[in-house]
Amino acid sequence: MLEGAVAFQVEYKKLEVLKKSAIIVASPEKAGMLAALHLQIAEKFAPSLNDWTQPELWQPHTTLLYSPALDLDSICANMKKAFAPFSARVCAIEFSRVLDTGYEIVERVELKERG
């Protein structure tokens, strides 16, 4: 399904706390190629997706800190003081399985460079 997919940019515009996972994340905009790829995957594999990857609940993110013991709201507020929006290049897509002890990468797809 991802054969021929090309690398693309995402825009990170905010930091936030995802309380259920006890993490602070940088969240990219759900737009452009990122949103299109997720929709394509969700349409094909909807019955296999967990709660976090269903289209209406999906929150793409990059984890910056995991700690159930810390005051993540306070830490995130301080991080926001120095945060500046930025763009990043997505050059691979990984598929993972959530485990009791974290997660396991089950597949990695390298995206092609525009040529």
Side-chain angles (χ1 to χ4, degrees):
M1 183 171 81
L2 294 174
E3 188 175 329
V6 297
F8 58 93
Q9 295 290 116
V10 292
E11 299 295 323
Y12 286 88
K13 294 193 175 175
K14 65 181 177 177
L15 300 180
E16 58 188 323
V17 176
L18 299 183
K19 292 187 187 285
K20 284 186 177 183
S21 304
I23 56 178
I24 296 175
V25 302
S27 298
E29 301 248 301
K30 289 197 242 180
M33 187 59 122
L34 181 65
L37 282 173
H38 183 264
L39 182 60
Q40 205 177 356
I41 291 164
E43 286 175 345
K44 183 165 182 153
F45 298 105
S48 301
L49 299 178
N50 64 25
D51 291 343
W52 296 287
T53 53
Q54 294 294 332
E56 61 279 356
L57 299 175
W58 175 59
Q59 290 185 277
H61 63 273
T62 297
T63 301
L64 303 174
L65 175 66
Y66 164 76
S67 179
L70 296 176
D71 178 359
L72 296 181
D73 289 316
S74 176
I75 294 169
C76 188
N78 282 316
M79 291 172 76
K80 285 178 179 179
K81 292 175 186 174
F83 178 76
F86 64 96
S87 65
R89 186 165 186 71
V90 176
C91 57
I93 304 284
E94 290 182 338
F95 296 90
S96 61
R97 180 178 298 120
V98 177
L99 307 170
D100 290 339
T101 57
Y103 65 93
E104 168 191 25
I105 303 297
V106 294
E107 183 71 35
R108 180 180 171 91
V109 178
E110 298 291 331
L111 302 178
K112 296 180 187 231
E113 293 298 327
R114 293 194 190 272

